[in-house]
Amino acid sequence: EVQLVESGGGLVQAGGSLRLSCAASGFTFDDYAIGWFRQAPGQEREGVSCISEADDSATYYADSVRGRFTISTDYVKNTVYLQMNSLKPEDTASYYCATLPRFGSRCPTLQGDVTDHWGRGTLVTVSS
């Protein structure tokens, strides 16, 4: 059974850092790409970043986080991380990881789908 569990959220001041973890089980990172998404109250879900180990470890970022966030994979721990630096109040949201097709356009364009496997999310709050 495919399972994803996010952790690492919390309250941080603007300019601070957090590292989110997405612990995966039931599959390998050669089977799926892993995407990070976020959703703030009253807003639509937004793609944040994606990594596809099968596609030569390609990484993709939303314009809003490029240069501040870094996605990475730890094969030993079967975990994908999202290192978030220089956090802004507008980064406040619930963050979710999901499996995406390892090839194709959805990882590069950060497009999630209800048919993907999703974690339950972790809340990030950035105070000004």
Side-chain angles (χ1 to χ4, degrees), residues 12 15-20 36-38 46-50 59-72 81-95 110 124 126:
V12 64
S17 298
L18 283 174
R19 188 178 76 164
L20 304 185
W36 280 98
F37 299 83
R38 66 187 181 186
E46 174 190 19
V48 175
S49 183
C50 185
T59 58
Y60 305 93
Y61 298 93
D63 289 342
S64 59
V65 306
R66 187 175 290 110
R68 299 188 298 123
F69 291 10
T70 303
I71 191 170
S72 62
Y81 298 104
L82 186 68
Q83 177 68 43
M84 306 188 298
N85 299 328
S86 302
L87 282 162
K88 305 175 181 180
E90 51 264 43
D91 294 319
T92 295
S94 291
Y95 284 71
L110 305 176
V124 172
V126 184

